[in-house]
Amino acid sequence: MSFSRELKARTTKVWEEGYNHPFVQEIGQGTLNKEKFQFYLLQDYQYLLQYAKVFALATVKAENEDMMTLLSGIQHGILAEEMNLHREYMAGFGISSEQMLSVKPSLFNRTYTANMLAVGQTGDLSEILAAVFPCGWTYWDYAIRLKKQYADRLEGNFYRTWIEKYASFDFANSFEWFYDAIDEIVTRKTDAGRERVAEIFASSVEFEYLFWDMAYKQEMSYCL
């Protein structure tokens, strides 16, 4: 198994706790409280604005035209497609544009995105990819498993569109290139450098878990 594919195995405990979190499981069951999902959408909207900036920083660190083109295309996809999906969902909740733009990111949200932006500023391309990779990889893995586990409940599930989007071939294909890109760069790293990449990846998996937990509890900070 390649270095990049082994990264998931190194985070098995928190990865599985993320999948088994009530927020994720209740999406699959179709029972998640819609106010919690609304909270998640508003926070994720703010998250994606910062996530797009990390890809801009990755583009700066890219060493060839093909990678620059790929990374800038992903940034455009986040802003033009991913954000539109959130706007459609939020419109379904009756959330106005003013609400969407005025909501403050939670402490958990700010901490996660600040960590990614810090890696974007100081790390090389493999480290930046390791910081953002868990977002796409966990969503795809969880959605695929939810779709299979709750196949008999998808009909009429309010969250079916969300599940099917992230379980789709197109979504999986959108991050498939990460594996080879990370593997190619780490061949030039020392053992300590590769361990640094793995640690960054693990931190983002932990932040993904905390994001689900934050949304489920509708927490703006550790005490609110």
Side-chain angles (χ1 to χ4, degrees):
M1 188 179 294
S2 71
F3 174 86
S4 62
R5 286 171 172 80
E6 288 178 346
L7 291 172
K8 178 184 173 183
R10 295 183 55 158
T11 63
T12 297
K13 184 177 185 294
V14 67
W15 191 290
E16 291 307 305
E17 287 181 359
Y19 178 68
N20 290 311
H21 193 282
F23 189 96
V24 175
Q25 287 298 305
E26 289 174 20
I27 283 180
Q29 296 161 7
T31 60
L32 180 67
N33 182 299
K34 291 183 180 179
E35 288 187 4
K36 294 180 180 181
F37 194 69
Q38 177 180 336
F39 184 93
Y40 157 78
L41 286 174
L42 287 167
Q43 288 298 315
D44 203 40
Y45 186 85
Q46 292 294 322
Y47 167 88
L48 287 171
L49 291 172
Q50 305 307 312
Y51 189 66
K53 292 179 184 179
V54 180
F55 277 94
L57 292 169
T59 303
V60 173
K61 303 292 179 72
E63 297 179 353
N64 59 68
E65 183 180 351
D66 288 344
M67 183 59 71
M68 290 173 66
T69 301
L70 176 61
L71 292 167
S72 60
I74 290 172
Q75 183 190 27
H76 178 267
I78 294 166
L79 296 171
E81 298 172 17
E82 187 86 3
M83 302 293 269
N84 280 339
L85 177 66
H86 278 62
R87 292 186 189 100
E88 290 172 9
Y89 267 121
M90 287 187 279
F93 279 100
I95 300 171
S96 67
S97 297
E98 290 75 18
Q99 286 176 286
M100 179 179 65
L101 296 173
S102 64
V103 68
K104 294 183 181 297
S106 74
L107 174 66
F108 306 93
N109 197 346
R110 297 196 310 272
T111 305
Y112 186 2
T113 56
N115 182 72
M116 288 195 299
L117 288 166
V119 174
Q121 294 281 0
T122 63
D124 68 13
L125 184 58
S126 67
E127 292 171 353
I128 301 172
L129 296 182
V132 297
F133 196 10
C135 180
W137 197 355
T138 56
Y139 271 53
W140 176 78
D141 180 68
Y142 294 175
I144 283 286
R145 292 160 68 181
L146 290 176
K147 188 174 181 179
K148 181 178 180 180
Q149 182 176 351
Y150 297 108
D152 59 338
R153 302 194 195 184
L154 284 181
E155 190 67 35
N157 184 335
F158 179 79
Y159 304 107
R160 180 175 183 171
T161 303
W162 187 95
I163 294 170
E164 292 187 337
K165 170 183 169 55
Y166 291 112
S168 69
F169 172 81
D170 285 345
F171 184 72
N173 192 52
S174 72
F175 67 82
E176 182 70 22
W177 61 273
F178 272 76
Y179 301 108
D180 290 343
I182 291 174
D183 286 339
E184 193 277 327
I185 299 171
V186 299
T187 60
R188 305 191 294 272
K189 285 183 172 288
T190 62
D191 288 345
R194 286 190 288 272
E195 185 62 23
R196 169 66 178 159
V197 172
E199 289 172 353
I200 290 170
F201 180 90
S203 291
S204 286
V205 176
E206 291 173 337
F207 277 122
E208 284 294 321
Y209 172 86
L210 291 172
F211 206 96
W212 300 123
D213 197 57
M214 165 208 73
Y216 195 72
K217 297 174 181 175
Q218 296 178 262
E219 291 181 316
M220 289 300 292
S221 73
Y222 75 95
C223 60
L224 294 175

